[in-house]
Amino acid sequence: MPKFRFTHHRLDTRHWLKDGVETVSHTLELSGHDAATGAHDHAILIFDSGTDLGQARGAGTVGYMTRCADGSTSLVGWFPLRDFAAYHEVLAQGDELSVHFELRDPRADAGYLRRLGIGHYEKIMTATICRPAGQRAPRSPASVYAMPL
């Protein structure tokens, strides 16, 4: 599974009213630089109450990844708000962490993501995947999720 180390993260939280109901959205930006290759990798993870992974942006999708001409990775992930606590808990540990991801088409060099998570370089600590309707994931930040699709 492809991955990159990140050395910086930034968290932004927004609150607004939509049809009289308060809506919350968290944006987590992760970035890192690989001195060996010169790549500047970047990920934006969006957690909001309007995200339904079974319906949003096509079934089996949690994000999108592109590759820049210099070999850098740029990706965006769309997650349900309920997943934010697990990601925040992993970040709070202060360890050296990395972004792990899996493309929906394993032969592609860019495209939609099937799985996206953060954790130690050798071990995923929390991940968001798109599951078939009715299937629930374990809710532990230390879990490594099997790919069900």
Side-chain angles (χ1 to χ4, degrees), residues 1 3 6 83-101 115-129 131 137-146:
M1 179 179 331
K3 54 192 160 193
F6 63 90
D83 287 1
F84 176 72
Y87 282 79
H88 192 261
E89 184 178 327
V90 171
L91 286 172
Q93 294 176 12
D95 297 331
E96 184 177 318
L97 298 170
S98 58
V99 174
H100 302 250
F101 57 96
R115 180 165 63 172
L116 177 58
I118 62 173
H120 296 287
Y121 196 72
E122 298 303 326
K123 175 182 166 189
I124 300 171
M125 296 178 71
T126 192
T128 300
I129 59 176
R131 296 178 177 278
R139 298 303 315 157
S140 167
S143 295
V144 176
Y145 297 109

Side-chain angles (χ1 to χ4, degrees), residues 20-41:
V21 176
E22 183 179 25
T23 302
V24 177
S25 176
H26 300 289
T27 302
L28 181 58
E29 294 184 48
L30 310 167
S31 61
H33 176 257
D34 185 335
T37 65
H40 292 275
D41 299 315

Side-chain angles (χ1 to χ4, degrees), residues 15-90:
H15 298 264
W16 68 94
L17 288 177
K18 180 178 179 182
D19 299 326
V21 176
E22 183 179 25
T23 302
V24 177
S25 176
H26 300 289
T27 302
L28 181 58
E29 294 184 48
L30 310 167
S31 61
H33 176 257
D34 185 335
T37 65
H40 292 275
D41 299 315
H42 189 78
I44 297 175
L45 311 181
I46 302 164
F47 302 84
D48 72 46
S49 55
T51 301
D52 176 359
L53 294 178
Q55 303 297 321
R57 298 166 183 91
T61 300
V62 295
Y64 194 84
M65 188 273 289
T66 60
R67 233 25 93 224
C68 302
D70 68 357
S72 299
T73 300
S74 180
L75 56 87
V76 62
W78 310 288
F79 305 120
L81 186 59
R82 69 179 179 270
D83 287 1
F84 176 72
Y87 282 79
H88 192 261
E89 184 178 327
V90 171

